[in-house]
Amino acid sequence: MKLSELLNLLKTAEIAEEMDVRREEIAALIPAVRTMFGYDQKNSAHQYDLWMHSLHVVCNLPRRMENDMVYLAALLHDIGRLQQYLTGEDHAAAGMRTAQEILRDTAFSASEQQAILQAVSKHRRGDTAQVLGRILCEADDASRMCFACAAQDTCYWPEHRKNNTILL
């Protein structure tokens, strides 16, 4: 799989499983994503392993946008999660370093790479100064099924961030 094929898949896939069947091809292109396969996120807010969660975030983005960066940022947004569980380091900061290594050999320009890295590093804050970060944060929030979560009563998330909507 080439990067252009991956970006096309991320932009056009209607469901996460459509991307998941090509996980080995994706991992051949971006070996670091293997750490996400089967990784239990160890909390009730995430019903999927890290890989499937990331694919659901990709699917929560509008389909076929011109900007390829947002799709790759969505795929990589939680790639630092394992590092957080192992060392306590913030996953967004760890993910930004991993994403930087991944992006180094791509055709994305320096400014595009910087935009992706900023989105990965700030995806939990929904940084309103950066459109890519805000879009990624909204897609990430929408991937959680707060309306069915067993931890609703003890959740630390503010109400405006919770996904209490079922989309059909």
Side-chain angles (χ1 to χ4, degrees):
M1 175 177 285
K2 295 179 182 176
L3 180 60
S4 60
E5 293 174 82
L6 172 61
L7 295 172
N8 187 57
L9 177 64
L10 298 176
K11 287 171 79 162
T12 61
E14 296 295 332
I15 59 173
E17 291 74 13
E18 194 176 335
M19 293 175 278
D20 185 46
V21 297
R22 299 190 65 191
R23 73 167 52 196
E24 290 303 324
E25 291 176 77
I26 296 168
L29 179 66
I30 307 173
V33 300
R34 285 191 186 283
T35 64
M36 298 163 53
F37 296 171
Y39 191 81
D40 179 5
Q41 297 191 72
K42 302 177 185 358
N43 65 54
S44 59
H46 294 91
Q47 65 272 23
Y48 303 108
D49 72 9
L50 188 54
W51 172 250
M52 289 304 291
H53 163 72
S54 295
L55 297 182
H56 281 272
V57 172
V58 170
C59 284
N60 286 337
L61 296 168
R63 304 289 76 209
R64 296 172 176 82
M65 288 189 293
E66 263 186 60
N67 186 338
D68 292 340
M69 296 181 300
V70 68
Y71 298 104
L72 190 57
L75 181 67
L76 301 177
H77 82 282
D78 273 351
I79 202 158
R81 233 354 133 184
L82 177 61
Q83 192 65 25
Q84 178 177 340
Y85 290 129
L86 294 174
T87 68
E89 178 184 11
D90 177 66
H91 79 279
M96 186 177 90
R97 281 196 317 279
T98 302
Q100 190 169 28
E101 293 170 22
I102 292 166
L103 292 169
R104 188 173 296 133
D105 297 323
T106 67
F108 285 108
S109 70
S111 63
E112 290 171 328
Q113 288 183 33
Q114 193 58 35
I116 293 168
L117 295 173
Q118 286 298 309
V120 170
S121 74
K122 297 181 184 216
H123 76 272
R124 288 310 324 134
R125 295 184 214 119
D127 189 348
T128 57
Q130 195 214 31
V131 174
L132 197 57
R134 186 174 61 248
I135 292 169
L136 183 52
C137 182
E138 290 170 3
D140 192 20
D141 289 353
S143 73
R144 290 164 174 75
M145 296 193 312
C146 299
F147 55 85
C149 181
Q152 278 183 347
D153 296 337
T154 58
C155 182
Y156 62 88
W157 271 31
E159 282 302 316
H160 74 277
R161 293 274 315 273
K162 293 180 182 178
N163 176 22
N164 288 311
T165 306
I166 299 173
L167 298 175
L168 300 175

